[in-house]
Coordinates of all heavy atoms in Angstrom, one line a residue:
M144 N 128.7 145.6 67.0 CA 129.6 145.0 67.9 C 128.9 143.9 68.7 O 129.4 142.8 68.8 CB 130.2 146.0 68.8 CG 131.2 145.5 69.8 SD 132.8 145.2 69.1 CE 133.8 145.0 70.5
H145 N 127.8 144.2 69.3 CA 127.0 143.3 70.1 C 126.6 142.1 69.3 O 126.6 141.0 69.8 CB 125.8 144.0 70.8 CG 125.0 143.1 71.7 ND1 125.5 142.6 72.9 CD2 123.8 142.7 71.6 CE1 124.6 141.9 73.5 NE2 123.5 141.9 72.7
C146 N 126.1 142.3 68.1 CA 125.7 141.2 67.2 C 126.8 140.3 66.9 O 126.7 139.1 66.9 CB 125.1 141.8 66.0 SG 124.3 140.6 64.9
K147 N 128.0 140.9 66.6 CA 129.2 140.0 66.3 C 129.5 139.1 67.5 O 129.8 138.0 67.3 CB 130.4 140.9 65.9 CG 130.3 141.5 64.5 CD 131.5 142.3 64.2 CE 131.4 142.9 62.9 NZ 132.6 143.7 62.5
F148 N 129.4 139.7 68.7 CA 129.7 138.9 69.9 C 128.8 137.8 70.0 O 129.2 136.6 70.3 CB 129.7 139.8 71.1 CG 129.8 139.0 72.4 CD1 131.0 138.5 72.8 CD2 128.7 138.8 73.2 CE1 131.1 137.8 74.0 CE2 128.8 138.0 74.3 CZ 130.0 137.6 74.7
L149 N 127.5 138.0 69.7 CA 126.5 137.0 69.8 C 126.7 135.9 68.8 O 126.5 134.7 69.1 CB 125.0 137.5 69.6 CG 124.5 138.3 70.9 CD1 123.1 138.9 70.5 CD2 124.4 137.4 72.1
V150 N 127.1 136.3 67.6 CA 127.3 135.3 66.5 C 128.5 134.4 66.9 O 128.5 133.2 66.8 CB 127.6 136.0 65.2 CG1 128.1 135.0 64.2 CG2 126.3 136.6 64.7
I151 N 129.6 135.0 67.5 CA 130.7 134.3 67.9 C 130.4 133.3 69.1 O 130.7 132.2 69.1 CB 131.9 135.2 68.3 CG1 132.4 135.9 67.0 CG2 133.0 134.5 69.0 CD1 133.4 137.1 67.4
L152 N 129.6 133.9 70.0 CA 129.2 133.0 71.1 C 128.3 131.9 70.7 O 128.6 130.7 71.1 CB 128.4 133.9 72.2 CG 127.9 133.2 73.4 CD1 129.1 132.7 74.2 CD2 127.1 134.2 74.2
V153 N 127.4 132.1 69.9 CA 126.5 131.0 69.4 C 127.3 130.0 68.6 O 127.2 128.8 68.8 CB 125.3 131.5 68.5 CG1 124.6 130.4 67.8 CG2 124.4 132.3 69.4
T154 N 128.2 130.5 67.8 CA 129.1 129.6 67.0 C 129.9 128.7 67.9 O 130.0 127.5 67.8 CB 130.0 130.3 66.1 OG1 129.2 131.1 65.2 CG2 130.9 129.4 65.3
L155 N 130.5 129.3 69.0 CA 131.3 128.5 69.9 C 130.5 127.5 70.7 O 130.9 126.4 70.9 CB 132.0 129.4 70.9 CG 133.2 130.2 70.3 CD1 133.7 131.2 71.4 CD2 134.3 129.3 69.9
I156 N 129.3 127.9 71.1 CA 128.4 127.0 71.8 C 128.1 125.8 71.0 O 128.0 124.6 71.5 CB 127.1 127.7 72.3 CG1 127.5 128.7 73.4 CG2 126.1 126.7 72.7 CD1 126.4 129.6 73.8
L157 N 127.9 126.0 69.7 CA 127.6 124.9 68.8 C 128.7 124.1 68.3 O 128.6 122.9 68.2 CB 126.7 125.4 67.7 CG 125.3 125.9 68.1 CD1 124.7 126.6 66.9 CD2 124.5 124.8 68.6
L158 N 129.9 124.7 68.1 CA 131.0 124.0 67.5 C 131.8 123.2 68.6 O 132.2 122.1 68.2 CB 131.9 125.0 66.8 CG 131.4 125.6 65.5 CD1 132.5 126.5 64.9 CD2 131.0 124.5 64.5
V159 N 131.8 123.6 69.7 CA 132.6 122.9 70.7 C 132.0 121.5 70.9 O 132.6 120.5 70.8 CB 132.8 123.6 72.0 CG1 133.3 122.7 73.1 CG2 133.7 124.8 71.8
P160 N 130.6 121.4 71.2 CA 130.1 120.1 71.4 C 130.1 119.3 70.1 O 130.3 118.1 70.1 CB 128.6 120.3 71.8 CG 128.6 121.7 72.3 CD 129.7 122.4 71.6
A161 N 129.9 120.0 68.9 CA 129.9 119.2 67.6 C 131.3 118.7 67.4 O 131.5 117.6 66.7 CB 129.5 120.2 66.5
A162 N 132.4 119.4 67.8 CA 133.7 118.9 67.6 C 134.0 117.6 68.3 O 134.8 116.8 67.9 CB 134.7 120.0 68.1
I163 N 133.3 117.4 69.4 CA 133.5 116.2 70.2 C 132.3 115.2 70.0 O 132.0 114.3 70.7 CB 133.8 116.4 71.6 CG1 132.7 117.3 72.3 CG2 135.1 117.1 71.8 CD1 132.8 117.4 73.8
G164 N 131.4 115.6 69.0 CA 130.3 114.7 68.6 C 129.1 114.7 69.5 O 128.5 113.7 69.7
Q165 N 128.9 115.8 70.2 CA 127.8 115.8 71.2 C 126.9 117.0 71.1 O 126.5 117.6 72.0 CB 128.5 115.9 72.6 CG 129.2 114.6 73.0 CD 129.8 114.7 74.3 OE1 129.6 115.6 75.1 NE2 130.5 113.6 74.7
T166 N 126.5 117.4 69.8 CA 125.5 118.4 69.7 C 124.2 117.9 70.2 O 123.8 116.8 69.8 CB 125.4 118.8 68.2 OG1 126.6 119.3 67.7 CG2 124.4 119.9 68.0
T167 N 123.6 118.6 71.1 CA 122.4 118.2 71.8 C 121.2 118.8 71.2 O 121.2 119.8 70.4 CB 122.4 118.4 73.3 OG1 122.4 119.9 73.5 CG2 123.7 117.9 73.9
A168 N 120.0 118.3 71.6 CA 118.7 118.9 71.1 C 118.6 120.3 71.6 O 118.1 121.2 71.0 CB 117.6 118.0 71.7
V169 N 119.1 120.5 72.8 CA 119.1 121.9 73.4 C 120.0 122.8 72.6 O 119.6 124.0 72.3 CB 119.6 121.9 74.9 CG1 119.7 123.3 75.5 CG2 118.6 121.1 75.7
D170 N 121.2 122.4 72.2 CA 122.0 123.2 71.3 C 121.3 123.6 70.0 O 121.3 124.7 69.6 CB 123.3 122.4 70.9 CG 124.2 122.1 72.1 OD1 124.2 122.9 73.1 OD2 124.9 121.1 72.0
L171 N 120.7 122.6 69.4 CA 120.0 122.8 68.1 C 118.7 123.7 68.4 O 118.5 124.6 67.5 CB 119.6 121.5 67.5 CG 120.8 120.7 67.0 CD1 120.3 119.2 66.8 CD2 121.4 121.3 65.8
F172 N 118.0 123.5 69.4 CA 116.9 124.4 69.8 C 117.3 125.9 69.9 O 116.7 126.8 69.4 CB 116.2 123.9 71.0 CG 115.1 124.8 71.4 CD1 113.8 124.5 70.9 CD2 115.2 125.8 72.3 CE1 112.7 125.4 71.2 CE2 114.1 126.6 72.7 CZ 112.9 126.4 72.1
N173 N 118.4 126.0 70.7 CA 118.9 127.4 70.9 C 119.4 128.1 69.6 O 119.1 129.3 69.4 CB 120.1 127.4 71.9 CG 119.6 127.1 73.3 OD1 118.4 127.3 73.7 ND2 120.4 126.6 74.2
L174 N 120.0 127.3 68.7 CA 120.4 127.9 67.5 C 119.2 128.2 66.7 O 119.2 129.3 66.0 CB 121.3 126.9 66.7 CG 121.8 127.4 65.4 CD1 122.6 128.7 65.5 CD2 122.7 126.3 64.7
A175 N 118.2 127.4 66.7 CA 116.9 127.7 66.0 C 116.3 128.9 66.5 O 115.8 129.8 65.6 CB 116.0 126.5 66.1
V176 N 116.3 129.1 67.8 CA 115.7 130.4 68.3 C 116.5 131.6 67.8 O 115.9 132.6 67.4 CB 115.6 130.3 69.9 CG1 115.3 131.7 70.5 CG2 114.6 129.2 70.3
Y177 N 117.8 131.4 67.9 CA 118.7 132.5 67.4 C 118.4 132.8 66.0 O 118.2 134.0 65.6 CB 120.1 132.1 67.6 CG 121.1 133.2 67.1 CD1 121.4 134.3 67.8 CD2 121.7 133.0 65.8 CE1 122.3 135.3 67.3 CE2 122.5 134.0 65.3 CZ 122.8 135.1 66.0 OH 123.7 136.1 65.6
K178 N 118.3 131.8 65.1 CA 118.0 132.0 63.7 C 116.7 132.7 63.5 O 116.5 133.6 62.7 CB 118.2 130.7 62.9 CG 119.6 130.3 62.8 CD 119.7 129.0 62.0 CE 121.2 128.6 61.8 NZ 121.3 127.4 60.9
Q179 N 115.7 132.2 64.2 CA 114.3 132.7 64.1 C 114.3 134.2 64.5 O 113.7 135.0 63.8 CB 113.4 131.9 65.0 CG 111.9 132.3 64.9 CD 111.0 131.4 65.7 OE1 111.4 130.5 66.4 NE2 109.7 131.6 65.6
T180 N 115.0 134.5 65.6 CA 115.0 135.9 66.1 C 115.6 136.8 65.1 O 115.3 138.0 64.9 CB 115.7 136.0 67.4 OG1 115.1 135.1 68.4 CG2 115.8 137.3 67.9
N181 N 116.6 136.3 64.3 CA 117.4 137.1 63.3 C 116.9 136.9 61.9 O 117.5 137.3 60.9 CB 118.8 136.7 63.4 CG 119.4 137.3 64.7 OD1 119.7 138.5 64.8 ND2 119.7 136.4 65.7
G182 N 115.7 136.4 61.7 CA 115.0 136.3 60.4 C 115.3 135.2 59.5 O 114.9 135.1 58.4
D183 N 116.2 134.2 59.9 CA 116.5 133.1 59.1 C 115.5 132.0 59.4 O 115.8 131.0 60.1 CB 117.9 132.6 59.4 CG 118.3 131.4 58.6 OD1 117.6 131.0 57.7 OD2 119.5 130.9 58.8
M184 N 114.3 132.1 58.8 CA 113.2 131.1 59.1 C 113.5 129.7 58.6 O 113.2 128.7 59.2 CB 111.9 131.6 58.6 CG 111.4 132.9 59.2 SD 111.4 132.9 61.0 CE 111.6 134.6 61.4
D185 N 114.1 129.6 57.4 CA 114.4 128.3 56.9 C 115.5 127.6 57.7 O 115.4 126.4 58.0 CB 114.9 128.4 55.4 CG 113.8 128.8 54.5 OD1 112.6 128.6 54.7 OD2 114.1 129.4 53.4
G186 N 116.5 128.3 58.1 CA 117.5 127.8 59.0 C 116.9 127.4 60.4 O 117.3 126.3 60.9
A187 N 116.0 128.2 60.9 CA 115.3 127.9 62.2 C 114.5 126.6 62.0 O 114.6 125.7 62.9 CB 114.4 129.0 62.6
V188 N 113.8 126.4 61.0 CA 112.9 125.2 60.7 C 113.9 124.0 60.7 O 113.6 123.0 61.3 CB 112.1 125.3 59.5 CG1 111.5 124.0 59.1 CG2 110.9 126.3 59.7
D189 N 115.0 124.1 60.0 CA 115.9 123.1 59.9 C 116.5 122.6 61.3 O 116.5 121.5 61.6 CB 117.1 123.5 59.0 CG 118.1 122.4 58.7 OD1 117.7 121.2 58.3 OD2 119.3 122.6 59.0
N190 N 116.8 123.6 62.0 CA 117.4 123.3 63.4 C 116.3 122.8 64.3 O 116.5 121.9 65.2 CB 118.1 124.5 64.0 CG 119.4 124.7 63.3 OD1 119.7 125.6 62.6 ND2 120.4 123.7 63.5
Y191 N 115.1 123.3 64.2 CA 114.0 122.7 65.1 C 113.7 121.3 64.7 O 113.5 120.5 65.5 CB 112.7 123.6 64.9 CG 112.7 124.9 65.6 CD1 112.3 126.1 65.0 CD2 113.0 125.0 67.0 CE1 112.2 127.3 65.6 CE2 113.0 126.2 67.6 CZ 112.6 127.3 67.0 OH 112.6 128.5 67.6
T192 N 113.8 121.0 63.4 CA 113.6 119.6 62.9 C 114.7 118.7 63.5 O 114.4 117.6 63.9 CB 113.5 119.6 61.4 OG1 112.5 120.5 60.9 CG2 113.4 118.2 60.8
K193 N 115.9 119.2 63.4 CA 117.0 118.3 64.0 C 116.8 118.2 65.5 O 117.1 117.1 66.0 CB 118.3 119.0 63.7 CG 118.7 118.9 62.2 CD 120.0 119.7 61.9 CE 120.3 119.6 60.4 NZ 121.4 120.5 60.1
A194 N 116.4 119.2 66.2 CA 116.2 119.2 67.7 C 115.1 118.1 68.0 O 115.2 117.3 68.9 CB 115.8 120.5 68.2
I195 N 114.0 118.2 67.2 CA 112.9 117.2 67.4 C 113.4 115.8 67.1 O 113.0 114.9 67.8 CB 111.7 117.6 66.5 CG1 111.1 118.9 67.0 CG2 110.7 116.5 66.4 CD1 110.1 119.5 66.0
A196 N 114.3 115.6 66.1 CA 114.8 114.2 65.9 C 115.5 113.7 67.1 O 115.5 112.5 67.4 CB 115.6 114.3 64.6
L197 N 116.3 114.6 67.8 CA 117.0 114.1 69.0 C 116.1 114.1 70.2 O 116.4 113.3 71.1 CB 118.2 115.1 69.2 CG 119.3 115.0 68.2 CD1 120.3 116.1 68.5 CD2 119.9 113.7 68.1
N198 N 115.1 114.8 70.3 CA 114.2 114.9 71.4 C 112.7 115.0 70.9 O 112.2 116.2 70.9 CB 114.6 116.0 72.4 CG 113.6 116.1 73.6 OD1 112.9 115.2 73.8 ND2 113.7 117.1 74.4
P199 N 112.1 113.9 70.6 CA 110.7 114.0 70.0 C 109.7 114.5 71.0 O 108.5 114.8 70.6 CB 110.4 112.6 69.6 CG 111.7 111.8 69.7 CD 112.6 112.6 70.6
K200 N 110.0 114.8 72.3 CA 109.1 115.3 73.3 C 109.3 116.8 73.5 O 108.7 117.3 74.4 CB 109.3 114.5 74.6 CG 109.0 113.0 74.5 CD 107.6 112.7 74.3 CE 107.3 111.3 74.4 NZ 105.9 111.0 74.0
D201 N 110.0 117.4 72.6 CA 110.3 118.9 72.8 C 109.1 119.6 72.2 O 109.1 120.1 71.0 CB 111.6 119.3 72.1 CG 112.0 120.7 72.4 OD1 111.2 121.5 72.9 OD2 113.2 121.0 72.1
F202 N 108.1 119.9 73.0 CA 106.9 120.6 72.5 C 107.2 122.0 72.1 O 106.5 122.5 71.2 CB 105.8 120.5 73.6 CG 106.1 121.5 74.8 CD1 105.6 122.7 74.9 CD2 106.8 120.9 75.9 CE1 105.9 123.5 76.0 CE2 107.0 121.7 77.0 CZ 106.6 123.0 77.0
E203 N 108.2 122.6 72.7 CA 108.5 124.0 72.3 C 109.1 124.1 70.9 O 108.8 125.0 70.1 CB 109.5 124.7 73.3 CG 108.8 124.9 74.6 CD 109.8 125.5 75.6 OE1 110.8 124.8 75.9 OE2 109.6 126.7 76.1
A204 N 109.8 123.0 70.5 CA 110.4 123.0 69.1 C 109.2 122.8 68.1 O 109.2 123.4 67.1 CB 111.4 121.9 69.0
Y205 N 108.3 121.9 68.5 CA 107.1 121.7 67.6 C 106.3 123.0 67.5 O 105.9 123.4 66.4 CB 106.2 120.6 68.1 CG 106.7 119.2 67.8 CD1 107.2 118.4 68.9 CD2 106.6 118.6 66.5 CE1 107.6 117.1 68.6 CE2 107.0 117.4 66.3 CZ 107.5 116.6 67.3 OH 107.8 115.3 67.1
N206 N 106.1 123.6 68.6 CA 105.3 124.9 68.7 C 106.0 126.0 67.8 O 105.3 126.6 66.9 CB 105.2 125.3 70.1 CG 104.4 126.6 70.2 OD1 103.1 126.6 70.0 ND2 105.0 127.7 70.5
N207 N 107.3 126.2 68.0 CA 108.0 127.3 67.3 C 108.0 127.0 65.8 O 107.8 127.8 65.0 CB 109.4 127.4 67.9 CG 109.4 128.0 69.2 OD1 108.3 128.3 69.8 ND2 110.6 128.2 69.8
R208 N 108.3 125.7 65.4 CA 108.4 125.3 64.0 C 106.9 125.4 63.4 O 106.8 125.9 62.3 CB 108.8 123.9 63.9 CG 109.1 123.5 62.4 CD 109.7 122.1 62.3 NE 108.7 121.0 62.6 CZ 108.9 119.8 62.5 NH1 110.1 119.3 62.2 NH2 108.0 118.9 62.8
G209 N 105.9 125.1 64.2 CA 104.6 125.2 63.7 C 104.2 126.7 63.4 O 103.5 127.0 62.4
I210 N 104.6 127.6 64.3 CA 104.4 129.0 64.1 C 105.0 129.5 62.8 O 104.4 130.3 62.0 CB 104.7 129.8 65.3 CG1 103.8 129.5 66.5 CG2 104.8 131.3 65.0 CD1 104.3 130.0 67.9
I211 N 106.3 129.1 62.6 CA 107.0 129.5 61.4 C 106.3 129.0 60.2 O 106.1 129.7 59.2 CB 108.5 129.1 61.4 CG1 109.2 129.8 62.5 CG2 109.1 129.3 60.1 CD1 110.6 129.2 62.7
R212 N 105.9 127.7 60.2 CA 105.2 127.1 59.1 C 103.9 127.8 58.8 O 103.6 128.1 57.6 CB 105.0 125.6 59.3 CG 106.3 124.8 59.2 CD 106.1 123.4 59.4 NE 107.3 122.7 59.0 CZ 107.5 121.4 59.2 NH1 106.6 120.6 59.8 NH2 108.6 120.8 58.7
K213 N 103.2 128.2 59.8 CA 101.9 128.9 59.6 C 102.2 130.3 58.9 O 101.5 130.6 58.0 CB 101.2 129.2 61.0 CG 99.9 130.0 60.8 CD 99.6 130.6 62.2 CE 99.5 132.1 62.3 NZ 99.9 133.2 61.8
N214 N 103.2 131.0 59.4 CA 103.6 132.3 58.9 C 104.0 132.2 57.4 O 103.9 133.2 56.7 CB 104.6 133.0 59.7 CG 104.0 133.4 61.1 OD1 102.8 133.6 61.2 ND2 104.9 133.6 62.1
K215 N 104.6 131.0 57.0 CA 105.1 130.8 55.7 C 104.0 130.3 54.8 O 104.2 130.1 53.6 CB 106.3 129.9 55.7 CG 107.5 130.5 56.3 CD 108.7 129.6 56.3 CE 109.2 129.6 54.9 NZ 110.5 128.8 54.7
G216 N 102.8 130.0 55.4 CA 101.7 129.5 54.5 C 101.6 128.0 54.5 O 100.7 127.5 53.8
D217 N 102.4 127.3 55.2 CA 102.3 125.8 55.3 C 101.4 125.4 56.4 O 101.8 125.0 57.4 CB 103.7 125.2 55.5 CG 103.7 123.7 55.6 OD1 102.7 123.1 55.4 OD2 104.8 123.1 55.9
L218 N 100.1 125.5 56.0 CA 99.1 125.3 57.1 C 99.0 123.9 57.5 O 98.8 123.6 58.7 CB 97.7 125.8 56.6 CG 97.7 127.3 56.3 CD1 96.2 127.7 55.9 CD2 98.2 128.1 57.5
V219 N 99.2 122.9 56.6 CA 99.2 121.5 56.9 C 100.3 121.2 57.9 O 100.1 120.5 58.9 CB 99.2 120.6 55.6 CG1 99.4 119.1 56.0 CG2 98.0 120.8 54.8
G220 N 101.5 121.7 57.5 CA 102.7 121.4 58.4 C 102.5 122.1 59.8 O 102.8 121.5 60.8
A221 N 101.9 123.3 59.8 CA 101.6 124.0 61.0 C 100.7 123.3 61.9 O 100.9 123.1 63.1 CB 101.1 125.4 60.7
I222 N 99.6 122.8 61.3 CA 98.6 122.0 62.1 C 99.3 120.7 62.7 O 99.0 120.4 63.9 CB 97.4 121.7 61.3 CG1 96.6 122.9 61.0 CG2 96.5 120.6 61.9 CD1 95.5 122.8 59.9
K223 N 100.0 120.1 61.9 CA 100.7 118.8 62.4 C 101.6 119.2 63.6 O 101.6 118.5 64.6 CB 101.6 118.2 61.3 CG 100.7 117.4 60.3 CD 101.6 116.8 59.2 CE 100.7 116.2 58.2 NZ 101.5 115.6 57.1
D224 N 102.4 120.2 63.5 CA 103.4 120.6 64.5 C 102.7 121.1 65.8 O 103.0 120.7 66.9 CB 104.3 121.7 64.0 CG 105.5 121.2 63.2 OD1 105.7 119.9 63.1 OD2 106.1 122.0 62.5
L225 N 101.6 122.0 65.6 CA 100.9 122.5 66.7 C 100.1 121.4 67.4 O 100.0 121.4 68.7 CB 100.1 123.6 66.3 CG 100.9 124.9 65.8 CD1 100.0 125.9 65.2 CD2 101.8 125.4 66.9
T226 N 99.6 120.4 66.7 CA 98.9 119.3 67.3 C 99.9 118.5 68.1 O 99.5 118.0 69.2 CB 98.2 118.5 66.1 OG1 97.3 119.3 65.5 CG2 97.5 117.3 66.8
A227 N 101.1 118.2 67.5 CA 102.1 117.4 68.3 C 102.5 118.1 69.5 O 102.6 117.5 70.6 CB 103.3 117.2 67.4
A228 N 102.7 119.5 69.5 CA 103.0 120.2 70.7 C 101.9 120.1 71.8 O 102.2 119.9 72.9 CB 103.2 121.7 70.3
I229 N 100.7 120.2 71.4 CA 99.5 120.1 72.3 C 99.5 118.7 72.9 O 99.2 118.5 74.1 CB 98.2 120.5 71.6 CG1 98.2 122.0 71.4 CG2 97.0 120.1 72.5 CD1 97.1 122.5 70.5
G230 N 99.7 117.7 72.0 CA 99.7 116.3 72.5 C 100.8 116.0 73.5 O 100.6 115.2 74.4
I231 N 101.9 116.7 73.4 CA 103.0 116.5 74.4 C 102.7 117.2 75.6 O 103.0 116.8 76.8 CB 104.3 116.9 73.8 CG1 104.7 116.0 72.6 CG2 105.5 116.9 74.8 CD1 105.8 116.5 71.7
N232 N 102.3 118.5 75.5 CA 102.1 119.4 76.6 C 100.7 120.1 76.5 O 100.6 121.2 76.1 CB 103.2 120.4 76.7 CG 103.2 121.2 78.0 OD1 102.6 120.8 79.0 ND2 103.8 122.4 78.0
P233 N 99.7 119.3 76.9 CA 98.3 119.9 76.8 C 98.2 121.1 77.7 O 97.5 122.0 77.7 CB 97.4 118.8 77.2 CG 98.2 117.6 77.5 CD 99.6 118.0 77.4

């Protein structure tokens, strides 16, 4: 029951701004965190990438995406992301 409520809430949070053309980097970051927490690593990487495109200074998105990439064995991608995160917020 609690999980269904969260899915509905996250969907509403993302669809309402999208319906009026205003999905923000924060919306995408939050969806990425939700997906990451629920085991959808590919979806999380996709949303972190979109969040970074809208806000290239989002060190947390680079950091989280880098951790996922490391865990998936993409060490080159992980190093790039984690280096970018450190460059933005040493």
Side-chain angles (χ1 to χ4, degrees):
M144 177 82 166
H145 182 65
C146 186
K147 286 182 183 181
F148 173 76
L149 284 176
V150 170
I151 292 169
L152 180 62
V153 168
T154 302
L155 287 174
I156 289 171
L157 292 171
L158 289 181
V159 170
I163 56 175
Q165 295 181 359
T166 300
T167 68
V169 172
D170 296 330
L171 292 164
F172 179 87
N173 289 338
L174 181 58
V176 169
Y177 176 81
K178 288 181 177 183
Q179 184 176 2
T180 301
N181 287 285
D183 180 5
M184 298 306 155
D185 292 334
V188 166
D189 182 54
N190 285 113
Y191 285 130
T192 300
K193 290 175 183 176
I195 290 167
L197 292 177
N198 180 10
K200 299 291 184 186
D201 187 347
F202 71 92
E203 290 177 300
Y205 280 108
N206 182 71
N207 292 0
R208 188 175 72 176
I210 291 168
I211 293 171
R212 286 180 167 172
K213 179 201 119 343
N214 290 340
K215 292 181 75 172
D217 177 7
L218 299 183
V219 172
I222 289 169
K223 287 180 182 179
D224 282 346
L225 296 172
T226 300
I229 291 168
I231 296 165
N232 187 24

